[in-house]
Amino acid sequence: MVAAPGGPGEHESAWAAQSATRAAQHLPRYSGPDAPAGPCRARAAVNLTCILLTWNSAAYVERCLRSVCADLDDSGLRYELIVIDNGSTDGTLDVLATLARPELLVIPLGHNTGTTFSRNIGLRMARGEYIAILDSDIEIHQPDAFHRVMGYLQAHPQAGIAAPQLRFPSGRYQKTTDVFPTLTHKLRRFVALRAMEAQEGQLDRGDAPRDVDYAVSAFWMLPRAVVARVGLLDERIFYAPEDVDYCLRVALAGLRVVYLPEVVATHHAQEISRRRVLSKSFREHLKGLAYFYRKHGFVWRLGAVYRRIAQARAATV
């Protein structure tokens, strides 16, 4: 049984049962040239599963998938693509229909279920030894990007998540890693993100991999074994900060989150909650943040969190 989002506890069985029931209720027929008849597919030797979430992504998803497939086709990796659509109304499904190929599986949910529930469908279905979680506005231009990230994970078993450097289409630096957010830091990031990006973009820290507290989930790669160890995304978070929560859980499992600046991808960064302060996405972000602080027991200081992480890593040595 998959562990509950926050790890084992007395409510684990209830959460798992509720989550599985929700998944069964929402799973539609799969679409694709080799679509199976039911939600269970036979296991096959797959190196990498890519999970993409779309929601009114017609402007980006074609370029995303074409670039992803081009890199993977050249890599020689055996892969599958699972696209979960959260009720798009802008023609996203029509675009996806034009991109049909044997590796692609499209799951239209019919309405917006948030980021965690929908991605968990993909995580449950993933056959790959490694899993890449991608935003639908990612583009891969650097050759062998997926193979290089996977190679790092293969060589470093204590790495739970690896994330490449992300840049805007203009080439400008994008802040996609950070420290765990105290409320003070979160407010600063909301008000001054562009200034922070401009300042950090001028720093030359080299291309060596380095540990970070968290990386945004626009492009993650992790071994499927990490999902078995840490659990699924916490579905009590609808939109955000599910990525911060998961990275913290990975760290509390004694593993590392690693930033790979030598591997670069383009991210259009739609930033749905930032664009409209009064939107549902923004409100859900605030609710998710409040839940995150309650769950992990901090708001203003990180000392206790870092001590817990150090203890977890010491216990796994």
Side-chain angles (χ1 to χ4, degrees):
M1 180 174 67
V2 176
E10 63 181 24
H11 301 298
E12 178 177 336
S13 297
W15 178 86
Q18 182 184 38
S19 181
T21 299
R22 290 184 67 210
Q25 290 172 343
H26 286 79
L27 277 176
R29 296 177 182 174
Y30 302 119
S31 61
D34 60 344
C40 295
R41 296 175 299 156
R43 290 279 176 190
V46 176
N47 303 123
L48 179 67
T49 298
C50 293
I51 299 170
L52 284 85
L53 175 62
T54 56
W55 182 64
N56 293 335
S57 306
Y60 302 99
V61 69
E62 180 174 1
R63 283 178 293 174
C64 171
L65 283 175
R66 289 194 185 282
S67 69
V68 167
C69 291
D71 184 78
L72 288 171
D73 288 343
D74 290 341
S75 72
L77 295 171
R78 294 184 299 276
Y79 69 92
E80 62 180 356
L81 302 165
I82 301 175
V83 178
I84 302 102
D85 183 75
N86 256 337
S88 294
T89 58
D90 68 339
T92 295
L93 289 174
D94 294 331
V95 174
L96 290 170
T98 69
L99 301 173
R101 53 187 295 155
E103 301 85 359
L104 176 61
L105 200 60
V106 178
I107 304 175
L109 295 183
H111 65 282
N112 192 350
T113 63
T115 57
T116 54
F117 173 75
S118 48
R119 279 177 171 162
N120 279 346
I121 291 174
L123 289 172
R124 288 187 181 95
M125 296 178 61
R127 295 177 296 168
E129 182 181 1
Y130 293 86
I131 298 171
I133 293 180
L134 305 172
D135 276 2
S136 59
D137 55 358
I138 282 285
E139 290 184 50
I140 309 299
H141 300 296
Q142 188 180 61
D144 217 23
F146 287 103
H147 207 286
R148 292 169 70 183
V149 178
M150 184 184 295
Y152 182 88
L153 290 170
Q154 291 170 331
H156 299 85
Q158 284 305 111
I161 294 175
Q165 178 182 172
L166 301 181
R167 290 189 171 266
F168 289 101
S170 65
R172 180 167 58 87
Y173 170 83
Q174 188 173 131
K175 185 174 179 61
T176 49
T177 67
D178 210 341
V179 297
F180 295 124
T182 62
L183 184 57
T184 302
H185 185 75
K186 189 68 177 179
L187 291 171
R188 179 171 176 262
R189 184 181 171 106
F190 180 77
V191 172
L193 178 59
R194 294 294 172 256
M196 294 166 72
E197 287 179 331
Q199 182 180 17
E200 294 182 18
Q202 295 175 357
L203 302 175
D204 184 4
R205 299 182 181 178
D207 289 338
R210 57 180 180 269
D211 289 6
V212 296
D213 281 2
Y214 80 90
V216 298
S217 56
F219 189 151
W220 280 355
M221 191 181 293
L222 64 164
R224 185 155 52 89
V226 168
V227 180
R229 178 171 171 176
V230 176
L232 298 172
L233 296 166
D234 190 337
E235 294 179 9
R236 286 162 287 196
I237 301 173
F238 180 85
Y239 169 66
E242 86 293 349
D243 44 7
V244 185
D245 174 74
Y246 202 79
C247 287
L248 179 49
R249 289 165 54 202
V250 165
L252 291 172
L255 300 170
R256 297 158 45 223
V257 177
V258 183
Y259 177 54
L260 304 178
E262 68 173 0
V263 182
V264 182
T266 298
H267 183 215
H268 290 265
Q270 299 175 66
E271 296 182 316
I272 296 170
S273 65
R274 181 177 292 273
R275 288 182 304 180
R276 292 188 296 172
V277 175
L278 298 179
S279 67
K280 178 182 178 181
S281 296
F282 182 80
R283 295 193 303 272
E284 290 292 344
H285 193 158
L286 292 180
K287 288 167 59 179
L289 190 63
Y291 166 75
F292 171 82
Y293 288 138
R294 291 194 307 272
K295 175 180 178 179
H296 294 290
F298 77 93
V299 176
W300 304 107
R301 295 181 177 85
L302 292 171
V305 172
Y306 289 144
R307 286 193 292 273
R308 289 164 57 202
I309 292 172
Q311 291 169 358
R313 289 176 177 167
T316 59
V317 173

